[in-house]
Amino acid sequence: MESGAAAAGGPAPGPGGGRFPFPYTPYLIQERFMAALYGALEAGRVGIFESPTGTGKSLSLICGALAWLRDFEEKQRQEEARLLALEEEEEEDGGEEGRKRLPAAGGAGSAGEPGWVAAFVRKKEERDAVARLKEEQIRRKKREDRLEKIRHNVQLKYAAKRKRSEEDETKHLLQLSKEVLSEGAGVDVLEQLDHNDEELILAEYESDEEKKVVSGPVDDDDDDLEEEHVTKIYYCSRTHSQLSQFVREVQKSPFGKDTRLVSLGSRQNLCVNEEVRRLGALQLINDRCMEMQKNKHEKKSDEEMEGKKRRVSRTVCPFYSYEQMQFLRDEVLVEVKDIEQLVALGKETKACPYYGSRYAIPAAQLVVLPYQMLLHEPTRSAAGIKLKDQVVIIDEAHNLIDTITCIHSAEVSGSQLCCAHSQLLQYMERYRKRLKAKNLMYIKQILYLLERFVAMLGGNVNQNPSCQAVSQTGTVLKSINDFLFQSQIDNINLFKVHRYCEKSLISRKLFGFVERYGGPAAAVKTNKENQKLAGLQNFLLTLQQGSDKEAGPLQNPSVEAENDQLRSASPLMQIEGFLSALTNANQDGRVILNRQGTVSQSSLKFLLLNPAVHFAKVVEECRAVIIAGGTMQPVADFREQLLSCAGVDPARVVEFSCGHVIPPENILPIILCSGPSNQQLEFTYQTRDLPQMMDETGRILCNLCNVVPGGVVCFFPSYEYEKQVYAHWEKTGLLARLATKKKIFQEPKKANQVEQVLVEYAKCIKRCSQAGGPMTGALLLSVVGGKMSEGINFSDDLGRCVIMVGMPYPNIKSPELQEKMIWLDKTMPRAAGQAPSRVLIENLCMKAVNQSIGRAIRHQKDFASILLLDHRYARPAIFNKLPEWIRERTRVKPAFGSAFAELRKFHRGKSDAL
């Protein structure tokens, strides 16, 4: 449907041929998209926008949103000028004139007070507004002058560079002097070891009730860091590569030269300190960075404490310099930069891009950031993101509900719990005499929590979890309150414990402790003290071996590697996430106890049932929110599960869906109800394993491969089913028949192998099209929800036909899904006579289908056929969930003969035209 939101106001004509500045003449659908977007932003709506991939969605978002922002800023300036002119006029007129304007004392104000009181209050408000405007004007002028200087004065840059190299030289000379001095002094080795231990010991902890936390030094001379947040657009997407692509689009757009844009990222992407980057895992990088900052802030107080004991040299980050970060901030605002350019600038200016980019947020007009940063409130506030009255655009949002659920869910294994308990106990024993009472109290509370969690899995925290068999295996779901009560931890304040973990950086200290005393390499340097820890090393090694068996087969290798690193490093980091999740409201989540063969393999998982609670704040605070994607159908999920549950007034929600730019004759979608031997196509769990169903699928593919040139992509509902069908075809000889026409490729499970398979697949198609001969291209057997069904484009010859085998319904036996279905049926009204749980299952299936079949058409001149193999696709409830641009061109074919004839005609016609 197309919204009438565009009527809410429109921008002045631009050089793009229409009302919006555009790098080329936009398609009509792009104009409509931009007009609807402009209207939604102007009216403060929550919009669900769908624009198929290949229709220039990113550029439409950029030009539509920035045109609105430009006009909004102009209106603001005009309003400011009007108010300031009024003020000046009054000052010139003098007090007498001003008094004349006040109504007579007899008049009454709105609340019944005399008219002159109401007028006085109004005047005071106006005066305050004018004072604020003047302040803001001065600030803005200062900022603009500063950025203008940087733009035009290259000498400033060189001066800053020279100053940095001088500082580096001074530091280098100082270091040399220290080394010369220390050569003569023989330092007692044991004393040195103790000295190194200092950084592992927890600092004295005071909770927030006992002190007002001062976060970082405030520089009195420079009020630039505390800037007012201008009205801005927050644009977020899923991956850093998508964000970089978006920034490049901004650079190419008419707004590229004069938009203040800042790219935000995680420390993992932005850190330029090699020593910290080497830690690899995000949690370790975060903790190390926080610790270095803490050291910097504590350095001054350390220097003041002389005489009592030798000062500990704490490592501080050389890139965390206010002066350099301010310079970086201004450089970022002067010219649009993506993450890679930001990192290069950070290295060059010796300034931290992670913090430098954050200082640029207040003055930025467009902030580009990953999902996690915007949707997770603690991350959002830590980054200094203020959403009040701002605009948020969430792109690639087809998985938004799942994303919010994942961000706020957490899982810990039995081996992690036991490992953390062992590490923390050893840590406490070693430093007991040197830890303050408050630290000991919290450590004991954490140890007790870990003990109880392991007990809930049916184990004992003091025994090796890999050797403890679980008597009652299976999966149990509990409400948060029941879990806390049955674990006997309902008397512990989890908010305080989690706050302690965050503030004291205990997991970082523990990681340092294990790094020093827990690894095999550390065993070489043992002194008497360390020999006590030999048992810990052996124990940790057995835990590691136990936990290695746990990694699920579907995990992404990079994630897998990071998880392994975290599991063996400081499992307490993972557990902190679980503790945080337990602080959710009782009705919004469940705890899943997954008891497997041993305690080590068992796990506790927090499942968020109501993602709307975490999205509510975003839609409440923002002026407007746009949820956009290439395939948003079916949109009922967004309306009901997300927006309605978040308390959004249905009148505030607006939907916009546009067609594709390709002509209707370039796409042929067919729903096939039966195969060549008249076997009805219905791939249910009961029927899909039948040999005749697998044979019929093979026959369909054989026929298609005879008439479709280039690449054919065939999607299966799961890896297991694809494997089963492949083995069956191999046995019956069907695979060999297929291989005479197309070279066969299979989607690998491991993410790091996907790229290689795609390269080989593309090479093969190119070779065949150039060589001619019997081999006409390649066949790629893929999996719905796998690596190839999202984010990979099968444009042109890479995907001339996309086939969907059956309907990829999710596994309804999954405890998580069952709990979600129960929760929906309890909390949601029935829609068109259907239970909400049934609608959820259908929507999950169709979202996956739409994502997969949308892979084939990527630009205006592209063409492809789409084949849906299952008669159930023709049911109205299912059929209506296809994207509109595919739905309106889809043909339902009860028999294979007429479908095949049409496919042959379509592909022959297109091949002749090429």
Side-chain angles (χ1 to χ4, degrees), residues 686-807:
Q686 292 77 30
T687 60
R688 70 183 194 182
D689 298 343
L690 298 171
Q692 59 263 40
M693 285 302 285
M694 294 191 274
D695 288 339
E696 198 73 338
T697 309
R699 281 193 283 268
I700 292 169
L701 251 70
C702 272
N703 279 296
L704 284 177
C705 288
N706 283 330
V707 296
V708 178
V712 176
V713 184
C714 181
F715 285 102
F716 288 87
S718 68
Y719 282 101
E720 287 64 37
Y721 188 56
E722 187 266 329
K723 229 186 207 158
Q724 189 183 346
V725 172
Y726 189 88
H728 179 77
W729 288 348
E730 212 166 20
K731 203 167 66 187
T732 59
L734 219 145
L735 204 64
R737 272 172 58 201
L738 273 172
T740 60
K741 280 287 177 190
K742 305 273 184 198
K743 185 169 180 187
I744 299 165
F745 293 87
Q746 286 175 281
E747 177 176 334
K749 264 190 180 181
K750 291 189 173 173
N752 59 353
Q753 295 169 1
V754 169
E755 189 61 38
Q756 193 188 341
V757 170
L758 281 172
V759 167
E760 290 301 319
Y761 171 73
K763 269 187 194 165
C764 174
I765 291 168
K766 196 174 179 185
R767 217 170 31 243
C768 293
S769 74
Q770 286 168 350
M775 189 76 91
T776 61
L779 168 65
L780 179 60
L781 305 178
S782 300
V783 175
V784 174
K787 303 290 172 294
M788 310 244 180
S789 67
E790 275 194 45
I792 288 169
N793 301 339
F794 294 108
S795 59
D796 301 319
D797 269 356
L798 293 185
R800 287 300 179 206
C801 180
V802 174
I803 301 159
M804 178 66 61
V805 177
M807 299 186 71

Side-chain angles (χ1 to χ4, degrees), residues 56-73:
K57 170 169 58 76
S58 296
L59 258 181
S60 303
L61 279 170
I62 290 163
C63 296
L66 289 176
W68 171 82
L69 186 63
R70 177 199 61 193
D71 292 355
F72 176 81
E73 285 175 350

